[in-house]
Amino acid sequence: MLIKRPQEIPSSEITDRSVYLRRREFLSCSIDAGLTAAALGAFGSLAAPSVLAGEKISGIAKSAYVTDEELTPYESATTYNNFYEFGTAKEDPSLYAKDFRTRPWSVTVEGECARPGTYALEDFLKPHALEERIYRLRCVEAWSMVIPWVGFPLADLIRRFEPTGNAKYVEFTTLLDPQQMPGQRRAVLDWPYVEGLRMDEAMHPLTILAAGMYGEVLPNQNGAPLRLVVPWKYGFKSIKSIVKLRFTEEQPGSTWNRAAPDEYGFYSNVNPERDHPRWSQAKERRIGEFLKRPTLPFNGYADQVASLYTGMDLVNRYF
Ligand SMILES: Nc1nc2c(c(=O)[nH]1)N[C@H]1C(S)=C(S)[C@@H](COP(=O)(O)O)O[C@H]1N2
Ligand SMILES: [Mo]
């Protein structure tokens, strides 16, 4: 079967598609009265078969999770990236992920839960109304950004799959596809990229899955079609282009932790008191700013998340 690449779709067809989308919204209204009109708008555009990175998402709900700090310019957030599957230089993902195909896409749910299976992305997202979350993002390389994500609480998704009492952790896996991901042709990391969270971290209201940013469908270089965002942890925990969730009893491995266990712990909570061997974590450079600013414990989210770690030694043992 010949699949058209997005950039090959003539503009006449794109107009047709927007009419199709409106019709589709109307249709889904009559099918599922339980969803709000706003949510349907968002779902409508994300469920399109040839959804384009950068396309506006309609009906995004505002949320209380915002900051009044200045947003990082869209240009910086989409050209200064870490996504080693597309290369290790900051500009590589924006250059080499252009043709990355994010449709069709499916996500597999495995392990300790009542509803394992493989789900089309559209069905995976369908029940979730999208909201805006403006979060700080702090990379372990000591730079940071402020990004308006479009997503939904991971907790809501996890509940749908009914984890069993043995589910103590969730493991996430990125797509493995060296043909499309040139970085995976070299053993820079142990592919595919995997990450993990303790169940209470995964269920925390700050933890989201993002399908968009800046009001638009997630650009490929930022982890389309679906990535994790855990704002109180170093950026590498926020795994991109997810194809699998697995509920486990044992603490899962994580790619950076396996590569250098002394440098990258499983928890990796932002901690100005625990330096990385190569980078002091006491300060950070907000992209676009010249002077460094102090780094805050848990990236400024301590009031919300510090209680998850009561009694744990976050410097020497659970870093
Ligand atoms: N699959 C995958 N996910 C990933 C990475 C990666 O290389 N591969 N890099 C991580 C790192 S180190 C950071 S700082 C953030 C960067 O996200 P951004 O490029 O959207 O700002 O993505 C994280 N998620
Ligand atoms: Mo990072």
Side-chain angles (χ1 to χ4, degrees):
M1 192 177 81
L2 185 72
I3 298 170
K4 275 192 186 177
R5 307 275 280 281
Q7 54 273 61
E8 290 164 356
I9 298 172
S11 54
S12 56
E13 268 190 56
I14 291 173
T15 318
D16 286 345
R17 200 165 65 79
S18 68
V19 173
Y20 159 78
L21 281 177
R22 281 200 296 279
R23 207 175 88 83
R24 189 186 172 102
E25 273 176 46
F26 169 76
L27 288 175
S28 20
C29 264
S30 50
I31 296 165
D32 191 345
L35 287 174
T36 65
L40 280 171
F43 161 58
S45 49
L46 278 171
S50 62
V51 68
L52 301 176
E55 197 170 307
K56 268 253 156 320
I57 300 175
S58 49
I60 303 165
K62 293 278 166 224
S63 82
Y65 299 91
V66 295
T67 159
D68 50 17
E69 290 160 90
E70 207 179 313
L71 297 186
T72 297
Y74 179 86
E75 176 67 17
S76 309
T78 56
T79 56
Y80 188 90
N81 297 104
N82 276 335
F83 197 170
Y84 277 22
E85 285 82 342
F86 293 100
T88 53
K90 292 288 180 281
E91 68 277 12
D92 285 346
S94 61
L95 295 173
Y96 304 121
K98 282 199 174 77
D99 295 335
F100 180 51
R101 291 187 302 277
T102 59
R103 297 293 189 287
W105 191 272
S106 53
V107 183
T108 299
V109 179
E110 289 180 358
E112 291 290 343
C113 69
R115 304 188 178 282
T118 295
Y119 301 84
L121 181 70
E122 291 73 17
D123 299 327
F124 201 68
L125 296 178
K126 199 173 190 165
H128 302 284
L130 297 175
E131 56 184 89
E132 181 164 80
R133 300 278 185 115
I134 305 179
Y135 285 160
R136 292 174 289 278
L137 171 80
R138 170 64 157 79
C139 177
V140 74
E141 296 161 342
W143 52 264
S144 63
M145 299 193 190
V146 178
I147 299 187
W149 301 106
V150 180
F152 57 89
L154 175 62
D156 293 347
L157 182 118
I158 287 180
R159 279 189 204 101
R160 283 167 61 202
F161 297 98
E162 301 174 21
T164 70
N166 294 332
K168 303 281 189 287
Y169 299 87
V170 199
E171 180 194 69
F172 305 83
T173 307
T174 295
L175 179 69
L176 177 65
D177 186 349
Q179 275 209 314
Q180 288 205 81
M181 297 173 138
Q184 288 181 339
R185 293 175 213 155
R186 293 187 301 141
V188 181
L189 288 171
D190 185 10
W191 311 112
Y193 197 101
V194 293
E195 257 306 337
L197 294 173
R198 213 171 57 189
M199 201 58 139
D200 58 344
E201 300 177 318
M203 300 294 285
H204 191 279
L206 280 173
T207 306
I208 59 166
L209 285 177
M213 60 190 240
Y214 298 83
E216 300 176 357
V217 172
L218 207 59
N220 294 341
Q221 60 268 40
N222 294 88
L226 195 64
R227 59 99 50 90
L228 182 69
V229 181
V230 196
W232 72 94
K233 293 177 180 284
Y234 292 117
F236 67 85
K237 297 292 291 184
S238 292
I239 182 173
K240 295 175 168 182
S241 305
I242 295 168
V243 292
K244 188 159 81 180
L245 267 75
R246 190 166 68 92
F247 297 102
T248 66
E249 184 155 23
E250 305 297 325
Q251 180 175 301
S254 70
T255 295
W256 281 105
N257 178 248
R258 280 186 201 141
D262 301 336
E263 300 185 17
Y264 310 101
F266 173 80
Y267 284 92
S268 285
N269 296 315
V270 174
N271 187 352
E273 301 194 341
R274 209 262 172 197
D275 286 340
H276 180 277
R278 285 194 302 280
W279 302 289
S280 159
Q281 298 297 3
K283 288 182 177 177
E284 68 200 58
R285 194 171 66 85
R286 184 65 51 87
I287 296 300
E289 292 179 359
F290 180 66
L291 293 175
K292 288 200 165 187
R293 55 170 75 209
T295 285
L296 301 173
F298 300 103
N299 201 22
Y301 300 98
D303 287 352
Q304 291 96 314
V305 301
S307 63
L308 297 176
Y309 310 101
T310 309
M312 293 172 64
D313 174 355
L314 299 181
V315 173
N316 299 305
R317 195 169 149 83
Y318 301 105
F319 57 86

